[in-house]
Amino acid sequence: MIATPRAARAATPRQMWGGLLMLALLGACSHTAPSAVAQEPNADTACVLDGMLLQDFPGPKGQIVYAEGKPDFFCDLMELFTTLRTPEQKRAVAGAYVQDMGKTDWDHPKGNWIPAKTAFFVVGSKLHGSMGPTLGAFSSAEEANKFIQQQGGKQLRFEQVTPEMADLTGGVMHDSGMSH
């Protein structure tokens, strides 16, 4: 019997399954999630929750872009966080965006969308949005602090905004731990 090099021998079923598993794992690693891009609302864009026209109200707006690519717009960041923080929210989120209030006018915000997860939020300020007390969003801690000096409030990161703070029935107003 002549010895053949290992590479020339036929693969065993175990080796074949192992190779297929490795290919599947490599394929999963190279699969990228759909990239989400913030979209600019137009004059007739309405809030997904209450149908209010976004451009009719002050304060930062929000949007969630779902994995299938369609965005839902919110006329207030309280609504955005209420949607993101509810356990019933099961749709795959590709990205959530808020307006940078350090770069746009509070009364008539336009553009300046930033990823919600990287924003610095101010809760408990004197300024209101479409639903009353709301969160302000900023791309830098310095801009958020400047806003706090003028309007009051407390700075938080995305992970620190709790469902209770984003309660549409007045969660921010009932948070006695806030410094004003």
Side-chain angles (χ1 to χ4, degrees):
M1 177 174 199
I2 300 175
T4 55
R6 184 179 180 127
R9 283 187 255 152
T12 66
R14 185 177 186 182
Q15 291 170 328
M16 287 177 34
W17 281 112
L20 289 173
L21 179 61
M22 288 300 287
L23 285 173
L25 289 173
L26 286 173
C29 290
S30 65
H31 183 279
T32 58
S35 60
V37 177
Q39 297 179 26
E40 187 63 27
N42 56 37
D44 63 346
T45 300
C47 176
V48 68
L49 295 184
D50 55 31
M52 295 167 54
L53 292 176
L54 270 63
Q55 291 186 357
D56 287 352
F57 298 94
K61 311 302 181 242
Q63 63 180 281
I64 298 174
V65 179
Y66 293 98
E68 70 267 11
K70 181 186 178 298
D72 277 348
F73 288 94
F74 300 88
C75 57
D76 193 286
L77 296 189
M78 299 297 281
E79 293 175 330
L80 173 87
F81 273 99
T82 296
T83 301
L84 287 172
R85 298 288 193 244
T86 58
E88 296 86 17
Q89 177 10 52
K90 300 293 184 202
R91 291 172 68 190
V93 174
Y97 298 92
V98 294
Q99 288 179 303
D100 182 354
M101 300 314 290
K103 295 186 173 72
T104 190
D105 179 52
W106 188 276
D107 291 324
H108 305 284
K110 298 231 185 287
N112 296 292
W113 295 97
I114 58 174
K117 288 188 176 185
T118 65
F120 295 86
F121 294 94
V122 174
V123 63
S125 80
K126 294 181 237 172
L127 295 182
H128 287 191
S130 66
M131 304 306 288
T134 193
L135 301 164
F138 300 87
S139 59
S140 73
E142 294 78 21
E143 287 292 325
N145 285 330
K146 190 170 18 171
F147 178 82
I148 290 169
Q149 289 173 359
Q150 297 171 357
Q151 303 298 334
K154 177 181 174 182
Q155 187 180 137
L156 300 171
R157 295 307 310 254
F158 179 84
E159 309 80 37
Q160 296 173 302
V161 179
T162 66
E164 295 77 25
M165 289 176 188
D167 180 4
L168 292 174
T169 61
V172 169
M173 296 307 292
H174 300 305
D175 186 354
S176 60
M178 303 267 231
S179 61
H180 296 280

